Amino acid sequence: MKLQQLRYIWEVTRHNLNVSATAQSLFTSQPGISKQIRLLEDELGVEIFARSGKHLTRVTPAGEAIIELAGKVLRTVDNIKHVSQEHSDERRGSLSIATTHTQARYALPPVIHEFRQKYPDVALHMQQGTPKQIAQMVSEGQADFAICTESLELFTDLVLLPCYRWNRCVLVPQDHPLASVETLTLEALAEYPLVTYLFGFTGRSQLDDAFKAHDLTPNVVLTAADADVIKTYVRLGLGVGIVAHMAVDPVIDRDLVALDASHLFESSTTKIGIRRGTFMRGFMFDFVNRFAPHLDRDSVEAALAAGPRHEQTLFERVELPVR
């Protein structure tokens, strides 16, 4: 059994059983991958993949267990490399962050700017996706950190570190009837078409729960994953926008009226998700602390060492900052 063979079966699974795409991503040949997979199956005495002719059609039950273990082996190998890198050059390496547009556009820029100044030789990679995709990237080792509000709890192999609380604001054009109301209500919002986040993005569930609790049905006419897209359609008069408060720029958005909605909706908590068992390099601890100053190295290490989900109890008494 070779490490290369384990990487091949892992990568083939990630590429939806497409051996050609896998070969292209690994800069090798398709016949070479197929041969090594066959050799591994012959050695183990089981089929990892079911086939139809020369095509892989599905992962067998035995293959599922083998691929899961292969992933753990590959992550352990990566950790060994990180240990050596940490001791040979603690200020050089790479950091991959999976996050949503809102975090990438509004929360992360000052953190990344400061981080790059201190660690110019650390290559930063940012991947964007849905919260579920983001969590899966980290769970499968494609990214180091997941930063988002929704869906991280679906992956039990992630350690969840609460970073900050936030709420929403309502955006309307300056001549909109809601622009002059003294106290905004859910009943008033329900009278207008709404433009807001897709379900599963940026605390959308708290918005839906608030309307439901008051027996109201919001008239959501357009949804988007991007706060800037939402603001564009508010300017076009398509509806009233509901976005994260942090997504409002007092200069860029000066043509819109922002109404506080924190009294209407439960606050949401943005978290960092880290795969359990990850070897944390020094600059990784530093990045977490810059994003959430209450998450010092000791508290992060304690959370990583805690049992599944027990890390949450470590932060129950922490007063999270509000953004």
Side-chain angles (χ1 to χ4, degrees):
M1 186 186 306
K2 301 176 181 177
L3 186 63
Q4 181 190 55
Q5 293 171 331
L6 300 182
R7 188 169 298 281
Y8 284 169
I9 63 172
W10 175 258
E11 291 293 336
V12 164
T13 306
R14 278 188 53 209
H15 287 84
N16 298 315
L17 308 187
N18 188 323
V19 179
S20 178
T22 304
Q24 187 175 4
S25 70
L26 296 177
F27 303 101
T28 187
S29 69
Q30 180 177 342
I33 291 179
S34 298
K35 179 182 178 181
Q36 289 301 320
I37 291 176
R38 279 294 193 187
L39 289 174
L40 179 60
E41 290 177 323
D42 290 343
E43 180 181 348
L44 297 176
V46 296
E47 282 193 337
I48 298 172
F49 302 103
R51 294 168 174 80
S52 176
K54 294 183 178 180
H55 299 286
L56 306 181
T57 58
R58 61 181 175 83
V59 181
T60 66
E64 290 178 358
I66 291 168
I67 290 169
E68 182 180 356
L69 290 171
K72 292 180 180 179
V73 170
L74 294 172
R75 288 192 288 270
T76 300
V77 170
D78 287 340
N79 280 345
I80 292 172
K81 293 178 181 178
H82 292 157
V83 170
S84 65
Q85 291 170 350
E86 182 69 11
H87 285 81
S88 61
D89 191 345
E90 62 182 17
R91 301 177 71 85
R92 185 185 299 273
S94 65
L95 177 61
S96 179
I97 302 162
T99 190
T100 61
H101 169 85
T102 298
Q103 301 296 331
R105 169 68 176 82
Y106 297 102
L108 283 169
V111 177
I112 288 178
H113 178 69
E114 293 177 0
F115 183 85
R116 284 289 300 157
Q117 287 184 318
K118 184 173 181 180
Y119 301 98
D121 294 323
V122 174
L124 280 170
H125 307 283
M126 188 177 296
Q127 305 177 64
Q128 293 186 48
T130 68
K132 187 174 181 179
Q133 289 171 337
I134 289 164
Q136 189 165 356
M137 288 178 196
V138 176
S139 179
E140 294 182 353
Q142 300 172 47
D144 298 305
F145 298 152
I147 301 178
C148 61
T149 301
E150 307 272 3
S151 298
L152 293 181
E153 289 80 3
L154 300 176
F155 293 79
T156 57
D157 59 342
L158 299 184
V159 175
L160 306 183
L161 309 176
C163 299
Y164 64 88
R165 293 187 299 110
W166 60 271
N167 215 305
R168 296 141 194 81
C169 69
V170 168
L171 290 176
V172 294
Q174 294 181 358
D175 59 352
H176 194 279
L178 289 180
S180 58
V181 300
E182 293 185 6
T183 303
L184 187 64
T185 65
L186 286 174
E187 288 76 10
L189 280 179
E191 293 179 4
Y192 295 94
L194 302 179
V195 184
T196 190
Y197 297 108
L198 289 165
F199 186 80
F201 270 83
T202 318
R204 169 66 189 274
S205 57
Q206 276 88 345
L207 185 150
D208 293 335
D209 290 344
F211 281 104
K212 185 177 180 181
H214 287 74
D215 293 322
L216 296 170
T217 301
N219 179 22
V220 179
V221 296
L222 186 143
T223 59
D226 185 328
D228 293 332
V229 171
I230 293 171
K231 288 185 280 187
T232 295
Y233 286 96
V234 170
R235 290 185 171 98
L236 291 174
L238 192 66
V240 172
I242 303 178
V243 299
H245 189 273
M246 74 184 95
V248 179
D249 188 302
V251 176
I252 296 175
D253 301 321
R254 61 183 178 274
D255 59 323
L256 299 175
V257 176
L259 306 171
D260 179 57
S262 59
H263 61 293
L264 301 180
F265 308 107
E266 289 290 332
S267 63
S268 297
T269 301
T270 291
K271 305 180 184 72
I272 290 181
I274 306 173
R275 187 182 62 253
R276 200 174 299 281
T278 295
F279 176 78
M280 291 280 290
R281 298 191 61 188
F283 61 74
M284 296 169 74
F285 284 110
D286 193 356
F287 183 93
V288 172
N289 184 247
R290 288 175 186 274
F291 188 67
H294 61 281
L295 296 176
D296 57 23
R297 183 165 186 152
D298 288 343
S299 62
V300 174
E301 287 182 335
L304 290 170
R309 293 291 173 264
H310 292 171
E311 77 275 359
Q312 295 182 14
T313 63
L314 299 172
F315 305 103
E316 286 180 350
R317 298 181 181 179
V318 174
E319 184 66 27
L320 296 179
V322 178
R323 295 185 187 176

